[in-house]
Amino acid sequence: MLLKLTVPQGVAAPLEARPAGAADDERLARARGGDTVAFADLVRRYQAMVFSLAWRIVNNRALAEELAQDVFLQLHRNLATIESGAHVTHWLRRVVAHRAIDLARQLARRPQANLADVPEPAAPSVERDPFMVRRLRALIATLPAAPRAVLTLRFQEDLEPSEIARVLDMPLNTVKSHLRRGLAVLRGRAQDLVELRSHELRG
Amino acid sequence: MSFEDDERFEQELRRAFGAEDPGEVFTQRVVNRVTVDAVRSVPPRPPARAPWWVALPFAASLVVAVGGVAWVQYARHVEEGERARTQVLTALRLTSEKLNVVRSAVIQAQELR
């Protein structure tokens, strides 16, 4: 059910009715003043981004959720240093990406490999998974942490390579290299899966 | 489906990388952790300072105690002094009596010659 809110004159419009930047700035100011409700609103605003970044990089949903909670706790402790809503976005991306990469490397059972050394993914499972999205996610999970983080920031957050370099404290050329090689590996293996599936469907 | 087309492949990648919201349960867990963290980080309050006059009875007791000890010591000193004076006077009296006895003996001895 939709509620039509009538805002009397002299009263500020609901935060959701204002431009996103202004609403974030106001949430931030109230949260900085100790307003728990405002901080909860901030969390809701950014939790999809933070959790998904963590999940794509760490490859473990439970650990990613815990990491995402830690990041928001760290945000709360550092609210005094956050200057604006835009700063919140940059700060969160930066902290979650760095912490997720560190955690992913700790979890890796073998040392970080070059993309060319990453083994081929397993053959498609018998249950005939119809969604290529799930297949692509499985392929993405086979990449090393750093290229996986670069691709996540590119295709989840739509960041340009220069912005990715700033978030990850990575040279721009390294970012571009990870993007180029990561896409090539993913495309090649995704195409192999598509052809394999086509053979399966044909009988 | 073919992924030879870059644009199509990148569209599929964007779908694969789509952000997923962890839900309101996640939000509440964060808020709970933040609340606990905020309580833990509050420094203990220093003890409230009492008004200045609250210390007066204690100060007075202290003065009385110190003064009382000093008075007792003084009284003992005076008593000891009196005792010593008495002893000296007694010694002088005894000495004087003995001297009188000796004087009497000497006078008698002189009268007998």
Side-chain angles (χ1 to χ4, degrees), chain A residues 16 19 26 69 80 82 91 106 113 147 151-152 161-162 170-171 202-203:
Chain A
E16 293 72 20
E26 185 158 339
Q69 289 181 29
I82 308 295
W91 190 97
Q106 287 173 32
L151 286 166
T152 306
S162 57
M170 194 181 279
R202 279 199 290 269

Side-chain angles (χ1 to χ4, degrees), chain B residues 76-87:
Chain B
R76 278 192 193 147
H77 179 70
V78 167
E79 186 184 339
E80 285 171 3
E82 280 296 321
R83 200 178 300 128
R85 178 171 169 271
T86 305
Q87 287 173 351

Side-chain angles (χ1 to χ4, degrees), chain A residues 46-57:
Chain A
Y46 292 103
Q47 65 187 33
M49 177 191 80
V50 172
F51 168 70
S52 297
L53 272 174
W55 192 12
R56 299 283 172 252
I57 298 172

